[in-house]
Amino acid sequence: MEITYRMQDGFQVPNLLMPQTPEVHLGKYAELRREYLKKRRRVLYTNLKTSGALTEHLAEIEQTARKMVEQTVARMAQAEGVTEELKATDPMRWTGLMNNLRHSAEELVLNDLIYA
């Protein structure tokens, strides 16, 4: 890797740029992971950022977290007997149960993946 320089106020300053990364929309889990890394794992955050791997890491976390939440909710719904029949007969109860299951699944994902 060749380093080039430019003159600025009588000094030679190296032309250093961060690696270019594509613009990626990151969701809730990726942003939670970024904040966790910034506050609690500064060295890892800095290493990922300077190597250009932060965006890739966050995108992977987002995808994995979403998949884990969906799978966990499906398993928990099956175990609790939350069915389409219940949805048709008592939609308010079904909605409440599904919300509880989703919150439980998200709590598991936050503990196991985001804040690990």
Side-chain angles (χ1 to χ4, degrees), residues 17-112:
L17 297 174
M18 293 291 293
Q20 298 299 318
T21 57
E23 188 68 29
V24 177
H25 173 70
L26 300 173
K28 166 184 166 179
Y29 303 110
E31 292 301 328
L32 288 170
R33 178 68 174 176
R34 180 196 322 258
E35 287 303 312
Y36 171 75
L37 291 175
K38 267 186 181 178
K39 291 180 181 176
R40 305 274 188 233
R41 307 280 306 272
R42 298 277 308 161
V43 172
L44 177 59
Y45 175 77
T46 303
N47 288 342
L48 287 169
K49 191 167 183 173
T50 56
S51 70
L54 180 62
T55 303
E56 181 182 332
H57 172 75
L58 295 176
E60 183 179 326
I61 290 289
E62 179 71 25
Q63 181 182 5
T64 304
R66 286 184 184 275
K67 190 175 182 180
M68 283 177 66
V69 167
E70 288 175 16
Q71 291 174 347
T72 305
V73 167
R75 281 195 316 267
M76 292 170 79
Q78 186 177 17
E80 295 290 324
V82 181
T83 62
E84 290 297 315
E85 182 181 317
L86 178 63
K87 183 178 180 180
T89 58
D90 192 357
M92 292 300 286
R93 184 166 183 260
W94 180 86
T95 302
L97 290 171
M98 289 303 288
N99 283 342
N100 286 339
L101 295 178
R102 177 166 282 291
H103 289 295
S104 296
E106 284 185 347
E107 190 67 31
L108 289 172
V109 167
L110 290 175
N111 287 330
D112 294 346

